[in-house]
Amino acid sequence: MSEQKRAPETGGDASENGAGTAAVNEATAEAEALATADAQIGVDDGEKQRLEAEIAGLKDKFLRAFAEAENIRRRAEKEVADARTYGIASFARDVLNVADDLARALGSVDDAAKATAEGGLKALLDGLELTERGLIKALEKHGIRKIEPKGEKFDPNIHQAMFEVPDPSVPSGTVVQVVQAGYVIGERVLRPAMVGVARGGPKAEAASPGKEAGAA
């Protein structure tokens, strides 16, 4: 009888041992699953960082390429604008010779002769003056302006001094005679004005900052 009672106790211990083993196996499986998940998460984070770095690199390349394309576009626009404005510079210089010839022809006749001219001579002089005015207007239409600096302060950027004139009545450095008119095209000098400059007079006053700003 005693032996029969021990058997169930032994069976109960086996059952408990089996349940404990199952619990251990389950815990081990969960731990392994967690370790695998952690490893997988680690791989995903690394891949994410790599992709983010690649995206940042591509963005930087795109911004650089966009900036370069914008610079090229601006340079092209400036070149086109310059070509429109200054493309006729060589032709304009040749036309200036015609303007000079007209001016010399008109300058060879004094005011008294012009005032008393009659008949064919008067018609000729009137025609020359009309032609000269038309030529100047045509040049201005294409951005070419005449420089007549008499009475202005000498500016080496747009004037070329040919000689000095002793004249104490005007400030030194004043343009008192224009030998040949100058011309500018756009913001560039097409031909400097050839001038005579006064010397011996008082020094020219420097322009005040306010006047310079207004002139600019």
Side-chain angles (χ1 to χ4, degrees):
M1 295 292 294
S2 59
E3 293 178 358
Q4 292 177 353
K5 291 180 180 180
R6 289 174 188 166
E9 293 177 0
T10 302
D13 292 337
S15 177
E16 290 177 0
N17 290 336
T21 301
V24 170
N25 292 337
E26 185 177 353
T28 301
E30 290 178 358
E32 290 177 352
L34 289 173
T36 302
D38 290 341
Q40 184 63 37
I41 291 173
V43 171
D44 290 344
D45 287 343
E47 182 68 11
K48 181 179 179 182
Q49 292 177 1
R50 186 187 69 78
L51 291 174
E52 288 178 347
E54 185 175 349
I55 290 171
L58 292 173
K59 182 178 179 181
D60 181 68
K61 290 181 180 179
F62 170 77
L63 292 176
R64 290 176 183 273
F66 180 80
E68 181 64 22
E70 186 67 11
N71 290 335
I72 292 174
R73 183 186 65 80
R74 290 176 180 175
R75 284 197 298 268
E77 288 181 350
K78 186 177 184 303
E79 288 175 359
V80 170
D82 288 348
R84 289 174 179 171
T85 303
Y86 306 114
I88 62 171
S90 297
F91 172 74
R93 289 190 185 94
D94 293 336
V95 173
L96 295 186
N97 295 328
V98 179
D100 293 339
D101 291 340
L102 285 172
R104 280 192 288 267
L106 290 170
S108 64
V109 182
D110 57 29
D111 294 338
K114 290 179 182 178
T116 58
E118 296 179 355
L121 178 59
K122 179 174 175 55
L124 175 62
L125 292 175
D126 290 344
L128 288 175
E129 290 178 350
L130 183 62
T131 302
E132 184 184 36
R133 287 196 298 269
L135 179 58
I136 296 300
K137 287 182 179 180
L139 292 173
E140 290 177 348
K141 181 180 179 181
H142 293 279
I144 302 167
R145 295 180 292 105
K146 188 177 183 180
I147 302 174
E148 287 285 5
K150 187 173 182 179
E152 299 179 359
K153 183 179 178 181
F154 176 76
D155 184 351
N157 295 313
I158 58 176
H159 305 151
Q160 181 178 348
M162 304 301 294
F163 51 84
E164 290 184 327
V165 179
D167 189 347
S169 65
V170 297
S172 292
T174 301
V175 175
V176 293
Q177 186 175 346
V178 179
V179 178
Q180 187 180 67
Y183 290 86
V184 294
I185 178 172
E187 297 179 355
R188 300 178 186 176
V189 177
L190 187 62
R191 188 182 74 184
M194 297 182 181
V195 300
V197 183
R199 67 175 175 84
K203 291 184 178 180
E205 295 182 1
S208 63
K211 291 181 178 179
E212 290 180 355

